[in-house]
Amino acid sequence: MRYGTAGRLAQALALLGAAGTLTGCGLSGGNTGQVCADTKKAFQQYVSQVRTVSANDPAQWKQATDRFAGRVDVLARQAEDEKLKNALRTEATRLRGAAAGVGTGDAAQLNAVMTDAPDRIGAACD
């Protein structure tokens, strides 16, 4: 695994809560607030899980990332707001792509996803 992946994941999680990125959701009604809150929780759970995985075990990183992508897909299906639904679908697809790379020890794509996701999902939650 490339160096610094766990640290970048922690930074991405911090960004999810920073500056209200996923807070104050649900202003547009529907279930947006709940889906955004559940998405933030899913990110937190993923980061907690991968913090326990050895950087030398790319198979476990891939497995955790694939599961996380599945969770984001479920959240996309639950979302009533089309903007949020599309943002979550996009992130799930990006996560699946990143899982393939991280499974071989290359975390570059995962780092990119985790860096961009808070802004991309946060914009849909506003």
Side-chain angles (χ1 to χ4, degrees):
M1 187 69 59
R2 303 292 192 262
Y3 297 105
T5 302
R8 287 189 189 96
L9 292 173
Q11 289 172 343
L13 179 61
L15 289 173
L16 279 169
T21 300
L22 289 183
T23 58
C25 295
L27 301 176
S28 60
N31 70 346
T32 300
Q34 186 60 52
V35 172
C36 288
D38 290 348
T39 300
K40 182 176 180 178
K41 183 177 178 181
F43 269 83
Q44 290 169 331
Q45 290 170 340
Y46 172 71
V47 171
S48 292
Q49 180 181 11
V50 295
R51 281 184 177 156
T52 66
V53 176
S54 168
N56 297 323
D57 193 348
Q60 281 192 7
W61 279 79
K62 180 183 183 326
Q63 183 180 30
T65 305
D66 279 332
R67 277 196 308 266
F68 180 45
R71 177 67 181 126
V72 173
D73 265 336
V74 168
L75 291 164
R77 286 192 299 274
Q78 292 174 351
E80 295 170 357
D81 178 76
E82 284 302 313
K83 183 178 174 183
L84 179 57
K85 183 182 298 267
N86 290 333
L88 292 170
R89 282 182 184 154
T90 298
E91 294 311 312
T93 300
R94 293 178 73 215
L95 283 163
R96 282 197 177 79
V102 82
T104 64
D106 182 2
Q109 190 173 357
L110 180 60
N111 289 335
V113 171
M114 294 303 288
T115 299
D116 297 345
D119 288 338
R120 294 164 65 102
I121 295 171
C125 284
D126 286 340

